[in-house]
Amino acid sequence: MAYSWAKIPIYDHVPSDRLTITLNGGTTHRQSTWRDIAGRPLEDQLPELLQEVDLRGLAAARERAEREEQSRLKRRRWEAATAQAHADCAEAFRVRVLEQQENAWRRAERLSAHLAAASDRIDAMPEGAVRTAAEAWLSWAKAHVRALDPLSGPLRLPEVPEPRHDDLKPFLNGWSPYGPHGR
């Protein structure tokens, strides 16, 4: 039986190996778990634990800064690729216009040759309603051919329309036209 003056402690002060602190996440530098063990209580291990928290925080900050720098570099590369794609798309548009003009010019040349032969034929016709109708048709046809011929008007660099996202895709070399995230 215990004496009335003796007080029984509520807690044991002997390490039980049940108290544990575990750090999750981040890059492990030394260890992730600290235990209250005999000969080395948890409170004596707190400086190591705090140093591990600090090291992980510094590593996380470095990784975050590195990711942000990589993201900035990727955005710059995407912006450069997009600017080049705009230039390449404009060049391709000008080439298409030039080829269309060349096709229209060749067509106008063929039609002009046809109309020259038709004019000779009309000149050989006798005066009358048939010749008048043929001359009216020839007059209309010559005006039509003049409108077809790109060389009949002023020559100038074509105005390039603002490209759509899909227009840029072939010139982006794998980049997304919507942003740097697509690669």
Side-chain angles (χ1 to χ4, degrees):
M1 171 153 189
Y3 298 103
S4 61
W5 51 267
K7 186 173 178 181
I8 300 174
I10 298 174
Y11 305 104
D12 289 335
H13 292 285
V14 178
S16 66
D17 199 26
R18 289 186 293 187
L19 183 59
T20 302
I21 296 178
T22 302
L23 290 179
N24 293 322
T27 304
T28 303
H29 293 274
R30 291 194 177 132
Q31 65 190 61
S32 294
T33 304
W34 290 263
R35 286 186 168 71
D36 196 20
I37 57 175
R40 192 146 189 242
L42 194 55
E43 58 267 15
D44 290 348
Q45 300 175 54
L46 285 178
E48 291 174 23
L49 183 137
L50 293 174
Q51 185 179 31
E52 181 70 16
V53 168
D54 190 41
L55 289 172
R56 288 185 188 195
L58 290 173
R62 263 192 319 271
E63 289 171 6
R64 185 173 44 256
E66 200 171 295
R67 278 192 312 273
E68 288 171 356
E69 181 62 22
Q70 290 301 321
S71 179
R72 276 193 294 280
L73 289 174
K74 189 174 185 179
R75 176 160 284 285
R76 283 191 201 132
R77 286 193 309 268
W78 176 79
E79 288 170 351
T82 301
Q84 185 62 48
H86 276 269
D88 293 346
C89 187
E91 186 68 12
F93 175 80
R94 290 183 192 110
V95 167
R96 278 193 312 274
V97 168
L98 178 63
E99 289 171 350
Q100 289 168 356
Q101 286 178 348
E102 188 264 345
N103 288 335
W105 173 77
R106 287 194 184 281
R107 185 170 182 217
E109 287 292 307
R110 282 192 318 269
L111 290 174
S112 291
H114 171 73
L115 293 181
S119 180
D120 291 343
R121 180 88 188 267
I122 292 171
D123 288 343
M125 290 180 157
E127 293 291 329
V130 173
R131 181 177 175 154
T132 304
E135 287 172 341
W137 174 83
L138 183 63
S139 177
W140 172 87
K142 285 181 178 180
H144 176 70
V145 169
R146 269 193 307 278
L148 284 179
D149 188 357
L151 298 179
S152 65
L155 296 177
R156 61 181 170 78
L157 194 61
E159 188 174 319
V160 178
E162 185 64 30
R164 298 179 319 247
H165 292 296
D166 287 343
D167 297 335
L168 294 175
K169 276 184 184 179
F171 305 101
L172 282 171
N173 299 321
W175 287 98
S176 167
Y178 302 103
H181 318 296
R183 187 176 213 202

